[in-house]
Amino acid sequence: GRPVGALTIGRRADFVVLDAAAARAGLSPAQTLASAVFARTGQRVVRDVWVGGQARVIDGAHAIDASAQAAFVAARRGLLREI
């Protein structure tokens, strides 16, 4: 089998870290998670995301934010020239 089931060296891990400082006082852990997933609060509540043991989002910033934004701006610029 695959090495899963624990946060330990040598095991793959997918998990999300929520910002505890987000305005969720008085909610249970399940309510906090549901609020982060389904409610639009205007606050960034996802702090970190790890996929396969690799950090993808740290402190709310995706690992490829800058390059993805640059690619989007370049693509949009090209599309607007065609109009």
Side-chain angles (χ1 to χ4, degrees), residues 27-69:
L27 298 179
S28 70
Q31 290 168 326
T32 299
L33 179 59
S35 178
V37 172
F38 300 111
R40 181 162 217 150
T41 64
Q43 293 179 314
R44 183 178 281 181
V45 296
V46 174
R47 192 182 81 199
D48 304 324
V49 176
W50 290 71
V51 178
Q54 300 291 316
R56 303 295 185 193
V57 176
I58 296 294
D59 290 328
H62 194 282
I64 63 167
D65 267 353
S67 62
Q69 182 178 9

